[in-house]
């Protein structure tokens, strides 16, 4: 939290009731805030994001790629003084395993008003379980309405010959906002 | 394995990236910054200020991890309960009071006191959540920076055993340029590569305590 103290003639109007002072200190506190949440395309808190890898309808054909899906990370951040002035959003797999032969790509694009940083495309697997999704975030906000926020597009990657239906597909992701 | 009955030949996987709405709607906010610095010769206490901006009471779970090396003990609550719209301070205190450089990351995640009932519908449900990471640093700031120029960029490595915190500016003549190039914390052994503007004659590395080292472009 930064505290700015102004003693200015602009503020004299506030001092009329003070008998023994000819100025007033206005103390302005600015919260060094960090907040983030995940929403769907309608701007509501996200509940489910489901991918079905379905067998093809034609014998001899490979499994088709499933359509990508996009969610949004809405945020508000107000930075402090350097070096506490650049933030990032990372993603971690905190539970479960990807099915054999399956990986997940997440592509984030900077969005919002202010210093919105730079988005990255990352791929998560059973061996790559952590990545930085967006860096260089300063003082900025995303907006609160549908379609506002950092779009994060999920693409499931697999090849039919590498799939194994005997493996489970349960993954838990966690997004963390931190300093760089 | 999840059997998807909607598939053309009734076989496949369903990978469910699910989120629990009570987790994602939990709006506990950190309002006094994500990085706290404590000089080694001052009392090793501080606080993380949280605001529950939601209309529900929340539980905030707190756990710590080392930013480098051995995790130094820190006294901090493991859980904080917050009433709706409450603003509260989570105090912490370093146990070690010597000058050893220490860095900890405090993770804060919140869950509602009265979560909504979930229906699994026979499918896997995976919870997806958000959290905040507040970095706490205490101790000496290192001088041991290794600077290597390469193709218009500068490689800055912390080769000491303490952390470095500060900002990198372009060097203009023998003075500091106005536009910052980068900034942050370099933990022991950490390397950053920063692109330096073509017109800069070098870089000016300024620590948070004001100490400066400069490096001329070769």
């Amino acid at each position: 939290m930064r505290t700015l103290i102004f003693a200015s003639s602009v503020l004299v109007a506030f001092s009329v009731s003070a008998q023994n002072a000819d100025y007033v200190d206005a103390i302005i506190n600015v919260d060094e805030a960090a907040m983030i949440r995940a929403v769907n395309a309608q701007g509501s808190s996200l509940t489910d994001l489901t991918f079905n890898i379905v067998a093809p309808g034609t014998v001899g054909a490979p499994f088709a790629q499933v359509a990508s899906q996009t969610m949004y990370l809405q945020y508000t951040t107000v930075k402090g003084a350097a070096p506490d002035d650049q933030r990032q959003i990372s993603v971690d797999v905190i539970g479960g395993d990807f099915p054999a032969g399956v990986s997940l790509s997440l592509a984030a694009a900077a969005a919002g008003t202010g210093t919105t940083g730079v988005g990255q495309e990352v791929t998560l697997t059973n061996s790559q379980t952590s990545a930085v999704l967006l860096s260089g975030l300063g003082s900025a906000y995303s907006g609160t309405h549908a379609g506002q926020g950092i779009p994060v597009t999920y693409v499931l990657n697999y090849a039919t010959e590498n799939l194994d239906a005997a493996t489970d597909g349960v993954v838990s992701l966690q997004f963390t906002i931190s300093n760089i | 394995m999840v059997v998807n009955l909607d598939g053309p030949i009734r076989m496949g996987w369903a990978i469910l990236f699910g989120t629990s709405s009570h987790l994602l709607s939990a709006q506990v906010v950190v309002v006094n910054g994500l990085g706290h610095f404590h000089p080694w010769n001052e009392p090793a206490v501080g606080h993380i200020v949280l605001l529950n901006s939601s209309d529900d009471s929340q539980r905030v779970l707190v756990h710590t991890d080392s930013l480098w090396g051995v995790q130094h003990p820190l006294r901090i609550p493991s859980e904080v309960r917050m009433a709706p719209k409450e603003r509260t301070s989570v105090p912490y205190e370093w146990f070690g009071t010597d000058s050893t450089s220490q860095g900890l990351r405090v993770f804060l995640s919140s869950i509602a006191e009265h979560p909504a009932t979930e229906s699994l519908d026979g499918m896997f449900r995976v919870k997806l959540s958000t959290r905040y990471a507040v970095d706490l640093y205490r101790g000496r700031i290192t001088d041991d920076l290794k600077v290597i120029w390469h193709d218009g960029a500068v490689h800055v490595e912390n080769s000491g055993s303490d952390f470095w915190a500060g900002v990198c500016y372009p060097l203009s003549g023998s003075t500091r340029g106005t536009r910052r190039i980068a900034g942050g914390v370099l933990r022991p052994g950490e390397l950053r590569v920063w692109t330096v503007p073509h017109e800069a004659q070098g870089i000016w590395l300024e620590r948070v305590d004001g100490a400066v080292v400069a490096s001329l472009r070769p």
Side-chain angles (χ1 to χ4, degrees), chain B residues 146-151 153-157 191-194:
Chain B
K146 184 187 298 180
V147 178
I148 298 173
W149 289 84
H150 185 71
D151 283 346
V154 64
H155 298 228
V156 180
E157 180 180 4
L191 169 70
R192 297 274 179 87
V193 179
W194 296 321

Side-chain angles (χ1 to χ4, degrees), chain A residues 45-105:
Chain A
S45 291
L46 194 60
T47 56
D48 295 291
L49 192 56
T50 307
F51 294 88
N52 293 312
I53 303 178
V54 179
T58 305
V59 174
F63 276 51
Q65 296 298 310
V66 297
S68 63
Q69 299 190 45
T70 299
M71 58 164 258
Y72 296 84
L73 289 171
Q74 294 185 337
Y75 66 92
T76 300
T77 84
V78 172
K79 69 178 181 64
D84 183 17
D85 63 346
Q86 286 197 71
R87 293 167 176 174
Q88 66 183 22
I89 297 172
S90 56
V91 59
D92 296 276
V93 178
I94 60 169
D97 294 305
F98 289 98
V102 174
S103 65
L104 179 69
S105 295

Side-chain angles (χ1 to χ4, degrees), chain A residues 37-51 66-74 104-111 133 146-156 175, chain B residues 17 19 128:
Chain A
R37 70 170 188 148
V39 299
N40 59 21
Q42 288 72 45
S44 303
S45 291
L46 194 60
T47 56
D48 295 291
L49 192 56
T50 307
F51 294 88
V66 297
S68 63
Q69 299 190 45
T70 299
M71 58 164 258
Y72 296 84
L73 289 171
Q74 294 185 337
L104 179 69
S105 295
L106 286 76
L133 205 53
Q148 293 184 314
I150 300 164
V152 180
T153 300
Y154 293 71
V155 176
L156 216 51
F175 296 92
Chain B
F17 292 88
T19 64
L128 190 153

Side-chain angles (χ1 to χ4, degrees), chain B residues 64-202:
Chain B
T64 60
D65 196 5
S66 175
L67 283 171
W68 71 85
V70 176
Q71 181 169 339
H72 295 274
L74 183 83
R75 187 202 307 273
I76 189 169
S78 59
E79 181 176 321
V80 179
R81 290 174 183 269
M82 298 185 70
K85 306 298 183 187
E86 181 185 1
R87 186 181 179 111
T88 191
S89 292
V90 181
Y92 62 82
E93 178 181 3
W94 300 89
F95 281 121
T97 56
D98 57 25
S99 63
T100 305
S101 178
Q102 304 176 19
L104 284 174
R105 175 160 283 187
V106 179
F107 291 105
L108 302 124
S109 54
S110 61
I111 57 174
E113 288 272 71
H114 306 289
T117 302
E118 293 179 69
S119 174
L120 298 181
D121 295 326
M123 300 185 73
F124 287 108
R125 179 171 296 276
V126 181
K127 297 185 186 306
L128 190 153
S129 57
T130 58
R131 64 179 177 177
Y132 303 95
V134 179
D135 295 340
L136 309 180
Y137 297 92
R138 181 177 183 277
R140 296 184 183 278
I141 304 174
T142 188
D143 288 322
D144 296 332
L145 293 183
K146 184 187 298 180
V147 178
I148 298 173
W149 289 84
H150 185 71
D151 283 346
V154 64
H155 298 228
V156 180
E157 180 180 4
N158 179 354
S159 54
S161 57
D162 301 319
F163 66 89
W164 181 87
V167 179
C168 177
Y169 295 95
L171 190 64
S172 176
S174 59
T175 60
R176 193 188 84 176
T178 53
R179 183 176 147 268
R180 55 171 286 168
I181 295 173
V185 178
L186 291 176
R187 296 158 199 153
E190 191 171 6
L191 169 70
R192 297 274 179 87
V193 179
W194 296 321
T195 302
V196 180
H198 180 71
E199 66 276 13
Q201 290 155 296

